[in-house]
Amino acid sequence: MPRSMAAPVWELGMEPVVYQVTGRHQELVDTVTLQMTPVDGPAMSFLPGQFTMMGLPGIGEIPVSISGSPNDGGPLTQTIRAVGKVSAAIAGLGVGDRLLMRGPFGEPWPVEEAVGRHLLIIAGGLGLAPVRPIVYWALANRGRLAGVELLYGARGPDYIPYGAQLLGWLASDRMTGSLIVDRHSDEWAGPVGPVTELIGRHATVDPAKTVAMVCGPEIMMRFVIQALEARGFADSDIWVSMERNMKCALGWCGHCQLGPVFVCRDGPVFRVDHVRNLMTQSEL
Amino acid sequence: MVDDSLWIEADAGLRQLLAVLQGRGYETVGLTEQDGCITLGPIASADDLPRGRIMDTGGGHVRCRDGESDRFFDKTLPMQGLKRFVYPAHEAVAQFDDDLTITTPEVEMRPTAVFGVRACDVAAIDIFDVVFRKPPYTDARFAARRDGLLIVAVDCAVPLETCFCASMGTGPHATTGFDLALTELSDGGEHGFLVRAGSAAGRGILAELDGEAVRDDQVAAKRAQADAAAAAMTRSMPANVASVVRQSHDSPHWSEVASRCLTCANCTMVCPTCFCSTVEDRNALDGTAWRERRWDSCFSIEFSYIHGGGVRESAPARYRQWMTHKLGHWHDQFGMSGCVGCGRCIAWCPVGIDITAEAHVLAADLERAVPTMGDN
């Protein structure tokens, strides 16, 4: 007899689950945060740094990191900037609209590495979204951490997502942090410049007792790594989240290859000493 | 290496083998000639095989012609391997109707015996088994098709001009991964096949065949034939190619290759191990939509697109990605090379780029660049 003639469906694979939008907040002119729950059953649980494949039937699918709290088991929260066909369609969804979801995928931020140490979170632009779950986690685990500091750089004062929450966090006595913008406006009283400026001027930590988690445009992350190392950080204490084209998130489609790694399954979160060469070679 | 257990006669033996496979419910697929090219297609009996036909190949060159003998399997390699049988070039992976009900299309795979699979293509299927079943995920569509496939391998006696499996350690004889394997011998007035089984299914089929015990002189002839086939290969990959490509990121040679490369993706389409795909949503006029997985190629600019542009926009970077992945990073990802030495990428390249020649240039450049003892 032939070995097996079963025709099984995908296991955790290409088949999506239907979610429904339960909340929508316009973060920035081109960016929204959606809250979503499955049509059937509870929302997926996830770890900080993981992502999902969000999709709409007949339009397509894109990888989007999860930007909500990993603690409360509530709706799935994701922040989407409308830059292409699929992201524009998803950003245009309203409360009650349905969409397709697969995941969660990817290696998370190693938040337990920060226990007993100082946690330094550095984000640029929409790179704040993938590190936001770290902040939720850190505040819920504050007693286990020596300190929590967030350094955030945005293009300008009008490009800061989660604005009120961010200011609340920075004003609280449970964490420290600073904001900086590339281009200021009249209302902006804070510092102006690249986020690396904050590392020299504001970060008050002892590199030997600190773990850093960094997310933003690749060029920003490269300069942040340089600045951290100039401050005495070991590259094994710095973590980054990488971005590449993804079509499957399972390691099958090949699109997200970065040299020897698949960003979707080996990452997106990497320790810097593991990807240093991969971040500096052109067109890898 | 599995020992041979039976000797069957060329004509009667092959006919019986095909009949036994069909009697067990297998669709039988084997070498056929189509549009002037040897390919894999349905065959009803051993009489359908392109007996005596051989292929001449070179860089950008494939021609079929009559050979000098009436042997079945000399100097032929189907234009594609087993890839399309286990991983279709395009297929729907999810269907959506108007109210967002999701259906997953079932895999339609009739048990299929592929007759005359070369050692390189057996090795390629073993590679797919690693790629598509690497924990924690299993591609169930691949698995269903793979598990429905019965592989009847044939050892190569006369390689093509473009073959280099001996230097990749995958051939010319199949050592694992097959259900049955045949060695065609035509010495001393007899013409037939040594048969060995590599699986329980293969052993069951072998038990139904009429044949004779294997003689020592046939085993010796088989060994000599394998040695001659390996020696006849004029192309080879440098032994250290994996480290060569990984150290050659900044080599000027990529630009030289790219001055010839059309980035047409032919090499990735005929490669039996290239597994990259894209996922696209399609729409029908009745409001239904479906999600389709299709073979894709790292030679397209869109392949690496993220907002703002492609990561690999230049042709040298795309050729480098293909070759470095295949020969170098594949080891990091899957613990093995992604190249089985079938040479199809050479034959089907419209400008005749030869991956083995490019590898030798890179290796030589690197050797010149590395100072040796005494260079000061």
Side-chain angles (χ1 to χ4, degrees):
Chain A
M1 282 295 293
R3 277 174 284 188
S4 162
M5 272 299 85
V9 297
W10 300 90
E11 292 158 22
L12 175 60
M14 298 296 286
E15 185 174 335
V17 170
V18 180
Y19 271 61
Q20 191 159 32
V21 177
T22 57
R24 180 183 195 277
H25 176 69
Q26 189 81 36
E27 295 286 353
L28 307 173
V29 62
D30 58 355
T31 305
V32 301
T33 295
L34 299 180
Q35 294 191 307
M36 299 152 289
T37 54
V39 170
D40 299 311
M44 66 178 78
S45 58
F46 70 97
L47 298 167
Q50 289 193 301
F51 67 94
T52 75
M53 296 297 285
M54 301 179 83
L56 285 169
I59 297 177
E61 220 182 19
I62 49 167
V64 179
S65 54
I66 304 171
S67 56
S69 169
N71 309 323
D72 55 16
L76 185 66
T77 300
Q78 296 184 272
T79 303
I80 301 102
R81 172 174 287 164
V83 289
K85 177 184 69 172
V86 183
S87 58
I90 292 173
L93 294 178
V95 171
D97 287 342
R98 290 179 298 171
L99 73 165
L100 304 170
M101 194 73 76
R102 294 192 291 127
F105 296 109
E107 288 292 321
W109 297 106
V111 287
E112 292 294 329
E113 290 270 320
V115 172
R117 304 166 80 189
H118 197 94
L119 174 59
L120 175 60
I121 303 161
I122 305 176
L126 209 53
L128 191 56
V131 301
R132 192 168 171 236
I134 310 179
V135 180
Y136 282 112
W137 176 89
L139 294 178
N141 291 270
R142 183 64 186 82
R144 301 164 65 206
L145 306 173
V148 181
E149 180 165 21
L150 173 67
L151 305 180
Y152 178 62
R155 256 188 289 169
D158 296 335
Y159 293 90
I160 301 175
Y162 323 119
Q165 181 185 46
L166 196 57
L167 294 175
W169 278 343
L170 297 181
S172 85
D173 56 3
R174 311 192 67 210
M175 63 181 286
T176 57
S178 306
L179 306 182
I180 192 167
V181 296
D182 294 342
R183 292 188 305 272
H184 69 93
S185 61
D186 290 344
E187 308 86 65
W188 183 255
V192 176
V195 71
T196 44
E197 294 248 326
L198 296 181
I199 295 167
R201 290 202 300 194
H202 293 261
T204 53
V205 299
D206 174 1
K209 296 175 185 159
T210 304
V211 57
M213 301 185 188
V214 185
C215 187
E218 210 163 308
I219 186 78
M220 164 265 182
M221 293 197 289
R222 276 162 53 186
F223 281 101
V224 165
I225 292 166
Q226 270 184 19
L228 288 173
E229 289 179 335
R231 282 280 309 253
F233 274 80
D235 55 6
S236 55
D237 284 329
I238 310 171
W239 299 75
V240 292
S241 181
M242 300 291 290
E243 183 178 16
R244 281 295 180 274
N245 184 315
M246 292 179 194
K247 294 294 185 188
C248 75
L250 301 157
W252 302 336
C253 81
H255 283 250
C256 71
Q257 286 178 82
L258 175 64
V261 305
F262 291 93
V263 172
C264 73
R265 59 187 291 167
D266 301 319
V269 174
F270 294 96
R271 211 171 80 178
V272 164
D273 54 328
H274 295 156
V275 290
R276 174 185 294 280
N277 293 336
L278 311 180
M279 292 180 75
T280 52
Q281 293 178 342
S282 64
E283 290 193 274
L284 186 61
Chain B
M1 180 65 119
V2 187
D3 283 339
D4 295 298
S5 41
L6 200 66
W7 165 260
I8 61 173
E9 296 217 1
D11 296 80
L14 282 193
R15 276 200 200 100
Q16 187 191 25
L17 175 52
L18 266 291
V20 167
L21 293 171
Q22 287 158 352
R24 287 175 165 243
Y26 288 103
E27 303 281 307
T28 44
V29 165
L31 299 183
T32 57
E33 192 170 335
Q34 182 191 326
D35 301 331
C37 182
I38 303 285
T39 184
L40 287 172
I43 55 168
S45 81
D47 298 330
D48 291 347
L49 294 169
R51 182 175 189 172
R53 296 286 281 172
I54 62 169
M55 294 161 67
D56 293 328
T57 60
H61 178 89
V62 179
R63 292 289 184 279
C64 275
R65 63 174 173 87
D66 285 328
E68 285 78 41
S69 81
D70 66 346
R71 284 165 59 98
F72 287 87
F73 294 109
D74 285 350
K75 214 166 177 282
T76 50
L77 180 72
M79 60 181 280
Q80 287 187 311
L82 298 175
K83 181 156 85 175
R84 65 194 170 94
F85 293 93
V86 293
Y87 172 25
H90 53 87
E91 69 167 329
V93 297
Q95 285 168 340
F96 315 110
D97 66 13
D98 256 348
D99 67 351
L100 254 191
T101 307
I102 302 170
T103 338
T104 302
E106 292 202 338
V107 172
E108 285 170 27
M109 175 72 182
R110 303 191 57 183
T112 301
V114 188
F115 192 81
V117 183
R118 303 304 176 154
C120 52
D121 286 333
V122 177
I125 280 289
D126 286 349
I127 290 173
F128 268 11
D129 271 328
V130 175
V131 170
F132 288 123
R133 300 190 207 246
K134 185 173 176 180
Y137 308 120
T138 295
D139 182 345
R141 300 188 86 80
F142 164 79
R145 293 189 170 97
R146 169 70 184 94
D147 293 343
L149 211 59
L150 185 102
I151 294 178
V152 183
V154 176
D155 295 327
C156 286
V158 184
L160 304 175
E161 291 84 352
T162 40
C163 290
F164 56 98
C165 67
S167 66
M168 299 310 300
T170 54
H173 280 199
T175 52
T176 58
F178 54 81
D179 295 283
L180 286 171
L182 312 178
T183 314
E184 183 172 17
L185 292 177
S186 52
D187 291 339
E190 62 177 4
H191 184 189
F193 295 87
L194 296 173
V195 190
R196 58 191 191 276
S199 71
R203 282 187 288 279
I205 292 160
L206 196 138
E208 285 190 47
L209 300 180
D210 301 317
E212 297 165 23
V214 175
R215 303 189 312 266
D216 287 347
D217 64 304
Q218 290 169 328
V219 175
K222 168 183 170 170
R223 198 170 299 132
Q225 189 167 277
D227 291 345
M233 290 180 208
T234 55
R235 286 176 162 87
S236 70
M237 198 61 89
N240 62 341
V241 69
S243 69
V244 166
V245 292
R246 279 183 284 199
Q247 292 173 70
S248 297
H249 182 271
D250 298 322
S251 167
H253 189 63
W254 300 118
S255 293
E256 197 286 315
V257 181
S259 71
R260 291 171 278 138
C261 175
L262 308 177
T263 67
C264 72
N266 257 20
C267 49
T268 58
M269 296 294 110
V270 296
C271 177
T273 71
C274 269
F275 60 82
C276 286
S277 59
T278 190
V279 178
E280 262 187 19
D281 278 34
R282 315 292 292 267
N283 294 279
L285 290 174
D286 64 4
T288 60
W290 68 99
R291 189 157 285 172
E292 192 172 276
R293 175 159 84 157
R294 285 196 288 117
W295 291 359
D296 201 0
S297 172
C298 53
F299 279 95
S300 83
I301 293 178
E302 306 80 56
F303 187 85
S304 62
Y305 181 87
I306 45 178
H307 53 86
V311 173
R312 290 181 289 274
E313 296 212 321
S314 77
R318 282 177 275 143
Y319 188 87
R320 178 179 62 204
Q321 166 62 22
W322 177 66
M323 188 165 160
T324 308
H325 179 222
K326 183 82 40 193
L327 297 168
H329 291 146
W330 210 294
H331 288 274
D332 304 303
Q333 296 168 351
F334 304 113
M336 49 175 57
S337 173
C339 176
V340 296
C342 71
R344 290 184 178 97
C345 57
I346 305 170
W348 293 98
C349 175
V351 297
I353 293 173
D354 179 344
I355 190 172
T356 65
E358 309 311 336
H360 281 289
V361 172
L362 291 170
D365 286 353
L366 214 55
E367 205 155 292
R368 269 196 297 278
V370 174
T372 51
M373 296 266 284
D375 282 356
N376 278 318

